[in-house]
Amino acid sequence: MKNIRNFCIIAHIDHGKSTLADRLIEQTKTIHERQMQAQVLDDMDLEREKGITIKSHAIQISYHHKGEEYILNLIDTPGHVDFSYEVSRSLAACEGALLLVDASQGIQAQTISNLYLALENDLEIIPVINKIDMEGAMIPEVTDQIIDLIGCKQEEILLASGKSGIGIEEILSAIVEKIPSPKGDEKAPLQALIFDSVFNSFRGIIVYYRIMNGSIKKGDMIRFCATGEDYEAMEVGILKFGMEEKKEIKCGDVGYIITGIKNAKEVKVGDTITLASNPGIAIKGFEEVKPMVFAGIFPVNTDEFEELRDCMEKLQLNDASLTFELETSQALGFGFRCGFLGLLHMEIIQERLEREFNQTVITTVPNVSFWAYTTRGEKILVNNPSEMPDTTKLERIEEPFIKAQIITQSDYIGNIMTLCLGKRGILINQSYITTTRVELIFEMPLTEIVFDFYDKLKSQTRGYASFDYSPIGYREADIVKMDILLNNEKVDALSALIHRARSQDFGRKLCEKLKELLPRQQFQIAIQAAIGAKIIARENISAMRKDVTAKCYGGDISRKRKLLEKQKEGKKRMRQIGTVEVPQEAFLAVLKLD
């Protein structure tokens, strides 16, 4: 056990975590040169295309140091705030973390959030300044920032470049010398913390865990503490580039287990595995995830609902921060109301459903939940616009409020103030952490944050702002239901619950956007936004017309007029019976409104 080191790499987005992981793997010759490629641990096509890490990836590497062989379990983590739950789970399986800071960008929001996560788990932090060979590298300034943040000595900070391989050997030595070996008792009853799981269509659910105490052998009867179910360990092993089978995994190590479980509900991330014959006590797992954004996901064909449910359960195994429950809609039939950590998370889930499970789905407008109080004194939870009681029976509506904490550089205070006050925020406190870093605390409605707040915050501050929030209860608000009508027919999925002051502006933008996206028909389409019976915005899509007068050459005007009148009659009849197909892009367009 004294020769095992478990560590992960944490950093802000684009600070070079996956590239550094590639170099560590290359340096220790863990993977054959033939198999080596950029972002070698990112196994999803989506991750390669977008150049981001979505899931944490674990791999075991061997390293010789001063005549001894060490086993290093490396976990590469995502940097985007939408996947911070992945990071918190990886940290629970480690004793140390490499804190990576980009030499040209300095300490950024997610660096601080991830650092706090690591400190909460009592991890040993090794600060590394990456990309030192770039032209814009500001090594002295970034060094000072790190010393301010962690309070370490200057000589403890390692300089490296993931791209050209500078300083990789020093990082490996520091991991061995500074990160403590795992503590635990091999003879105690088995306690293994599940930090991830994946679904394999041939072998069932593969569970990844870190053993805190005891050991696990092939053929053991094991028990999951959360469900109390017992299974046989058909195969146990370690995670090299692929899975490598072993007879026994000992205390302190990270490994996988295959038990042939097919049902997704039986495995819970954060659960503890123990032996059925000699059960240990469950370890406190991870905190429950708090979704930020809710949206409905519906199958395009209603008869594919059961299939979609299976896919959602398999996806939840792979992504524990996804939550979902059943929902029905007048226009879309049966589907799920899903909770996501943010809009990027929502986009990724939708892409994964399409790519990995061949499910084409319709996603409704994201929103939050409100409390509606009726004149009869009833209290109703409104999850989506169709559940909103009739305005004549409504007494008041309460919306959820949050306390938002924003850390940024002092240059951007004005931009953030403008943004937050425009989103109905109330400034509670402003304090300087260092001479250049400010902490702002606002109270804001959660509805305003759901759409694009985080993206706008990033662009207003050039990525130098970190954002965290916690709910503080419900407050009364003037919320109305806005419907979208196409040729006087309501489109259920495009309805939205919105603050009255913003409804007109939002309705107008939405109509303009739909005008661009809806395909033209043989008849005119009227797009209207309405609150109750009052129309607040309208756009028309003109009809496609065949040139019926082309065959007339010269002659009397009445001949042409007769043909045009005949065409006009036909269009009118067509409009009465014609229906408008709304493409999937139109539902997504609502999210991208400025």
Side-chain angles (χ1 to χ4, degrees), residues 192-320:
L193 181 69
I194 299 176
F195 67 89
D196 207 353
S197 55
V198 290
F199 184 81
N200 181 311
S201 44
F202 301 109
R203 317 198 62 180
I205 291 162
I206 302 169
V207 175
Y208 297 158
Y209 54 84
R210 151 77 202 276
I211 299 188
M212 300 301 185
N213 289 308
S215 64
I216 191 167
K217 296 186 189 67
K218 185 177 176 174
D220 279 347
M221 284 305 285
I222 59 150
R223 176 173 297 166
F224 288 122
C225 290
T227 57
E229 299 284 329
D230 294 357
Y231 304 95
E232 184 193 345
M234 297 178 184
E235 184 183 311
V236 295
I238 54 168
L239 300 157
K240 285 280 199 187
F241 185 48
M243 294 186 295
E244 198 171 290
E245 195 175 346
K246 294 274 188 228
K247 286 201 173 70
E248 181 179 22
I249 305 284
K250 294 197 168 121
C251 181
D253 220 339
V254 173
Y256 72 90
I257 181 167
I258 296 175
T259 54
I261 303 176
K262 287 283 194 286
N263 184 359
K265 289 195 177 73
E266 291 170 35
V267 177
K268 198 170 186 285
V269 167
D271 190 9
T272 307
I273 304 176
T274 100
L275 292 179
S277 54
N278 181 10
I281 46 173
I283 311 165
K284 182 183 170 292
F286 313 101
E287 56 187 80
E288 280 298 307
V289 56
K290 49 173 185 190
M292 295 246 193
V293 177
F294 295 96
I297 285 188
F298 294 87
V300 174
N301 299 330
T302 28
D303 47 358
E304 287 172 7
F305 170 70
E306 284 300 325
E307 200 180 321
L308 180 64
R309 175 187 290 185
D310 290 346
C311 298
M312 293 292 281
E313 283 176 359
K314 287 171 189 169
L315 197 53
Q316 194 177 29
L317 272 183
N318 203 313
D319 183 348

Side-chain angles (χ1 to χ4, degrees), residues 7-11 16-17 20-21 24 74-78 97-98 100:
F7 71 100
C8 59
I9 307 180
I10 55 175
K17 294 175 292 299
L20 185 75
L24 293 173
L74 148 70
I75 303 180
D76 178 26
T77 65
L98 293 182
L100 229 59

Side-chain angles (χ1 to χ4, degrees), residues 115-150:
L115 173 70
Y116 287 152
L117 279 176
L119 292 174
E120 274 170 31
N121 286 317
D122 287 336
L123 299 197
E124 176 67 38
I125 307 283
I126 300 178
V128 179
I129 297 181
N130 194 20
K131 307 191 186 181
I132 57 165
D133 52 351
M134 277 179 68
E135 281 179 16
M138 311 175 291
I139 298 169
E141 291 93 324
V142 177
T143 308
D144 292 344
Q145 286 180 14
I146 294 178
I147 293 170
D148 278 352
L149 186 67
I150 317 178

Side-chain angles (χ1 to χ4, degrees), residues 326-390:
L326 282 176
E327 181 180 50
T328 53
S329 147
Q330 298 162 358
L332 301 167
F334 287 104
F336 297 98
R337 177 171 179 71
C338 305
F340 306 100
L341 295 182
L343 287 181
L344 175 70
H345 186 207
M346 179 171 137
E347 199 179 306
I348 295 289
I349 292 287
Q350 200 176 335
E351 286 245 354
R352 288 184 66 184
L353 279 171
E354 288 189 8
R355 291 186 185 205
E356 294 171 33
F357 301 102
N358 292 329
Q359 292 289 317
T360 36
V361 291
I362 291 173
T363 316
T364 62
V365 183
N367 61 356
V368 299
S369 303
F370 300 91
W371 283 109
Y373 293 85
T374 62
T375 45
R376 285 182 177 176
E378 295 170 312
K379 182 181 176 185
I380 303 167
L381 183 66
V382 179
N383 280 327
N384 59 17
S386 60
E387 293 171 9
M388 180 92 149
D390 193 355

Side-chain angles (χ1 to χ4, degrees), residues 8-11 17-18 53 55-57 75-79 86-87 90-91 114:
C8 59
I9 307 180
I10 55 175
K17 294 175 292 299
S18 300
T53 304
K55 276 202 63 58
S56 300
H57 301 279
I75 303 180
D76 178 26
T77 65
E86 287 284 328
V87 182
S90 308
L91 292 168
N114 287 339

